[in-house]
Every structure is written in structure tokens, then in C-alpha cells.
Amino acid sequence: VVFKSTGVRHVKLHNFGDLGVKFRFEVPQKAAALFSIEPSEGFAAPHDDVELLVKFHPVKGGSGPDAAALGREAEQGKPKRIRCHVEPNYQQDPVELIVQGRGIEQPEGAVRTLEFSAGVREKTTQEIMFPPDGKNTSSQPWKLNPVMKTEVPSGVDYWFCPGEITVPPGGQVSLEIAYRPLTMTLQDEDRAHPETDAPEEGSAAPPTARKPPKRPRELRPERHSGKIFVATPNGNAYVWNLVGKSSAPSKVQRVEATVQCKTPHIQAVQVSNWLRES
């Protein structure tokens, strides 16, 4: 399973007895960062099955004294024992479930690139088919949560996509990615005429000037960049690098009005909120 993604396996818990029992899975602390079971507790009716989802989510590195050890154990694929306790406990001893998984790096060639171009504060979209190299080969629908991040500039959101997508069994789904920058990237005129408020080298400021010289203006980034990460239940993960170029706005609103001389006039002006907050 690729690091930061999740592999899922379906397991059935069968009650062979004539009485219903409660069950509870006890995951050891060292294995809890790698494996989880849903539901972790519940009730099994007589001669009935309970379908369980055993999830493996390998981690790499991280923080804390046990994080590196967990990453090494995931790479080595060491088996883990998870105990299932039943109540009343006099009817059945705890049942052991042995799980084993291995984390791997993102395969080479699995990272794709999407390029966008838009005017500042304008929106452009692209649609991709997911999964890009096949279909959902399972008999269950995939409910996935794409992770979108804008890396340059940091602390803002210039790319957007649905928070959840559903891939039907044996099929694909269209995923729309939108690019809406709020700042421009570096333009040709910025390179040709870099502005600066600092005094030229070798020149002295006038005696009356006491203000410290201003620093040169920081140039805009040449491009915006981001990333989208989508993990699938079969242990695969898909990554797209997003590249954006933002130019001057293509539409400039012009307001015109004919007003009689010496007559008060009120003109309404449309103001758009480009931010995702009021």
C-alpha cells in the first residue's frame, strides 16, 4: 500500500453459536497507527455474519519516539495480532486476527501534471477521469476524499475540487478541478522593469531625508503550484501536480452615467467578494 493511502479488506465474523454475543476488537498500541477495524465492536446474532472492514494505513516517518519504528515495521511487513473479545466470555475464548501489510513509495510515473491559465480572480476548470488508468475493479462503490493543497503561494486556496467523489463498481467518475487565483504570477514587464525604492549604489540620501531606504519589492512567483492526492481502497494512490499561470484580468468593468448638470446623482457599483468568507 502506498504511504499516506489506505488499503481495505473485507472480513466476515461468523457466530456459530445458538446465542447472540457482543464482540470487541483490541488493537495493540503499536499496531493502532497502522491498522484499524470497522466496526471495532458490535453484536453478532446466532448463526449470522458481521462484515468487517480491516484497514491498513501505512505511515512514513512522522513525529514522536515510536513513529520511525512504526514506519520501519510497515516496510518490513511484520505480522500483527489483533484480539477479538466476546461477551459473555465463558462461551468463547478471544479470537486472534493476524494482519500484515507493507508500505511503499509512490511508484515512478504515477505522478501526473495539470497546467492551468487564467486571469486573476477568474475561474478556469479541467475535468479528469478517475481512476485515470483503469476502473474500480471491486464490487463495491468507492467513496473517496480528494486532498487538495495550494503550495505556492502558501496559506491560500487557489485550487478546488469536490470534497467527496463516488466511483461506481466497474466504472470511473469525472473529477472537476478548478483554478481561481487571487494574485498574478510574474509577468514579462516585471522582469523588464523591476521596481525598487532603495537608493542606487554609491549615491547618498539628501541631508534632510531621515527615513531608512525601502527594500526592493519582492517579485511575484513565476507560477502557482499545488497538489491533489486521492487514495483508493485497493491501496493505490494518485497524485497530480498542479501548475497555474495568472495574468491580468481580461474584463475591466466600466461604469457610465449621463447626469444633468447641478443635479445630485447616486450610481450603484457592483462589488464582488473574491474571498471564500464574508
Side-chain angles (χ1 to χ4, degrees):
V1 177
V2 178
F3 287 117
K4 296 184 180 180
S5 62
T6 302
V8 182
R9 294 295 182 267
H10 294 262
V11 177
K12 289 186 178 181
L13 177 66
H14 184 76
N15 181 5
F16 291 93
D18 297 327
L19 298 175
V21 294
K22 295 180 180 179
F23 66 89
R24 175 180 55 85
F25 284 93
E26 179 185 358
V27 183
Q29 182 178 3
K30 287 187 177 181
L34 303 174
F35 296 93
S36 60
I37 300 179
E38 297 178 2
S40 60
E41 59 183 34
F43 180 81
H47 306 286
D48 199 5
D49 292 330
V50 177
E51 186 169 348
L52 306 172
L53 298 180
V54 181
K55 299 183 177 182
F56 174 54
H57 27 80
V59 295
K60 180 183 179 182
S63 58
D66 298 331
L70 286 174
R72 289 195 297 270
E73 289 184 9
E75 293 176 356
Q76 297 172 3
K78 294 182 178 180
K80 311 291 188 300
R81 297 178 181 270
I82 299 177
R83 305 185 73 183
C84 178
H85 300 271
V86 295
E87 297 179 6
N89 54 13
Y90 62 82
Q91 294 186 2
Q92 175 69 51
D93 294 332
V95 180
E96 282 193 346
L97 174 65
I98 300 178
V99 294
Q100 186 175 8
R102 179 173 176 268
I104 62 174
E105 297 286 353
Q106 185 75 27
E108 294 184 5
V111 179
R112 299 164 173 81
T113 301
L114 292 177
E115 296 184 355
F116 295 78
S117 178
V120 64
R121 299 184 297 274
E122 297 176 1
K123 177 181 175 182
T124 182
T125 61
Q126 290 191 37
E127 288 190 0
I128 58 176
M129 297 303 297
F130 188 89
D133 55 359
K135 298 180 180 180
N136 175 3
T137 56
S138 70
S139 59
Q140 301 291 330
W142 289 346
K143 290 188 177 181
L144 311 176
N145 302 103
V147 179
M148 182 80 73
K149 181 181 180 181
T150 301
E151 297 179 335
V152 178
S154 61
V156 297
D157 294 324
Y158 285 0
W159 277 277
F160 308 92
C161 72
E164 180 178 287
I165 59 175
T166 301
V167 185
Q172 293 177 295
V173 68
S174 175
L175 175 61
E176 183 180 86
I177 302 174
Y179 173 57
R180 192 169 186 268
L182 299 182
T183 58
M184 294 171 55
T185 52
L186 189 65
Q187 307 296 307
D188 293 338
E189 54 268 23
D190 295 331
R191 296 188 181 93
H193 305 285
E195 297 179 3
T196 177
D197 294 325
E200 296 181 0
E201 186 176 353
S203 63
T208 57
R210 298 298 181 185
K211 294 183 179 180
K214 296 182 180 180
R215 295 181 179 180
R217 187 188 65 178
E218 184 178 356
L219 294 178
R220 306 185 186 102
E222 292 189 4
R223 61 182 184 176
H224 299 145
S225 62
K227 184 172 294 184
I228 179 172
F229 177 88
V230 187
T232 56
N234 60 359
N236 291 331
Y238 300 88
V239 178
W240 283 267
N241 289 327
L242 308 175
V243 178
K245 297 284 289 184
S246 176
S247 58
S250 58
K251 297 180 181 179
V252 178
Q253 185 177 7
R254 182 176 180 178
V255 179
E256 296 182 354
T258 302
V259 182
Q260 187 175 0
C261 180
K262 299 182 181 180
T263 302
H265 173 75
I266 298 177
Q267 177 66 45
V269 178
Q270 183 178 359
V271 179
S272 299
N273 181 6
W274 303 299
L275 304 178
R276 295 173 62 88
E277 57 186 23
S278 58

